[in-house]
Amino acid sequence: MKLTPYIYVGAALLATASCGDFNDKLDGYSEDDYKPKDVKNIKYELTSDDYTKLSTLSGDDKIKANQYLTSAEDAHTYIPLWLADTYPTADNGSTVTVTYKQLGGESHYLAPLKKAITYTLAADDDVSDMDALLKTVRPEAEKNDIILVCTADNLSMMAYQYSNDTWNVFTSTSTDITVLPQSVYSALGNTFVENADNVITTYLKNTYPYSSDSDTKTIIYYYNKYKDIGARQYTFESGAWKLMAQSEKVVTEAVSAPFVLTNGTWKYDPSVTITLPHIKRDPVSTMFYQAATDWVWSNVDAPAGISKGNGYVSKWGNNDYYTGSSAYNSCVDWSPANAKAQNPAAFDGKSDEEITAFMQENLIKVYAEVLKTLYPETKAVEGIDVIYTVNFTATMPNEVNYTIQYKVTGDAVFTYIENSMRPL
């Protein structure tokens, strides 16, 4: 009697194995035919629990404590780990747009200063190789750690930051960074700054008397008797230095980034596909095509001294036959007959094929400008091809669905990908 359960289990396993062997031998059998499709296209905002999981998956304890990510680089590296753990059944082609908290521009370099330490050079220190020296001072250094180094008389100081396994002078592309000199503390008769705003603005006014609007300075200083380090960023506006950010106050911003599953791997992919529906008064189509026609008016007809309606742009100003864009009909009109009717002088003597080719060539050029106008914050991403794809409907006179692609090659710079404009 005690053997009965095992007999049933053994029989079940045998039956399962037999069915599997049998199915594998069926004509036309393919495992892919029986795999469920789980192509995701969702948006998700990270929660407190998600930051805790990210901290565990990445091995970065600071994420759990901070409840934010320090940089876009960290987000692009760590979030794919979270996605793989959270969506293990997702299929290739899945897209998840993740919204997360990231240090703001100023906080990104100010925040690490809260944990900075001071090192006073000894007489026998080799200052010719500061990287080697500081590695002995702080062998356990982590990314973005900062040390203030101060010639034993404390008369001058320099800030160094640890990045890419190297100690380098602490710099920023958006601000000049200065360590408050010892002479200021001596003048105050103190080892730290009590009234930081008054002291630092006075220092800036006296040290930089010829400043211009938008000049930006970051001052590093001691703010208590324990020589804890703080930093304040000031910008010169209307004749005065104004406080913009400080290390004691961490400011985060919400960032949304798309991640795509390709060949079983989640990767950050900021490429964008814009589909322009051929539907009158569709808001997306109307905005895009109107931007194209506005560009033609501002850069082609108007500079030539042509009144609206007598050039490429119609008298209503909502379509043009320089590119064929029509905000009125929500499509691209490459019909030679309509182009001739709008601007007979420009197309006189040209064949239908030449007229269509003329508008197609111009569309390639103008749509790069439209993308620049509509997506001014777009930036190239190192190591990633950022592609903007525009899908639209062309009439010539029959309707044909088209696509065109641009690669982002700089800040709001869209470069046409050769031969990418084609019928779908």
Side-chain angles (χ1 to χ4, degrees), residues 309-312 321 336-350 355:
N310 293 318
Y312 294 107
Y321 286 95
N338 291 340
K340 289 179 182 178
Q342 170 58 40
N343 195 345
F347 297 113
D348 184 44
K350 288 184 169 57
I355 293 172

Side-chain angles (χ1 to χ4, degrees), residues 22-30 33-34:
F22 175 72
N23 285 336
D24 286 349
K25 293 177 173 59
L26 288 176
D27 290 341
Y29 171 81
S30 170
D33 294 339
Y34 297 93

Side-chain angles (χ1 to χ4, degrees), residues 40 42-59 63 67 69 74-90 94-100 255 257-261 264-268:
K40 299 185 182 298
I42 59 177
K43 296 181 179 179
Y44 184 86
E45 183 170 357
L46 295 183
T47 66
S48 177
D49 289 343
D50 295 326
Y51 288 108
T52 299
K53 181 181 285 188
L54 265 174
S55 190
T56 300
L57 292 171
S58 65
I63 297 176
Q67 293 288 292
L69 292 166
D74 285 350
H76 300 165
T77 301
Y78 298 153
I79 289 179
L81 302 177
W82 176 86
L83 288 168
D85 184 81
T86 306
Y87 304 109
T89 64
S94 292
T95 299
V96 179
T97 299
V98 180
T99 298
Y100 61 92
V255 177
F259 294 82
V260 177
L261 184 62
T265 302
W266 287 99
K267 292 183 179 179
Y268 168 64

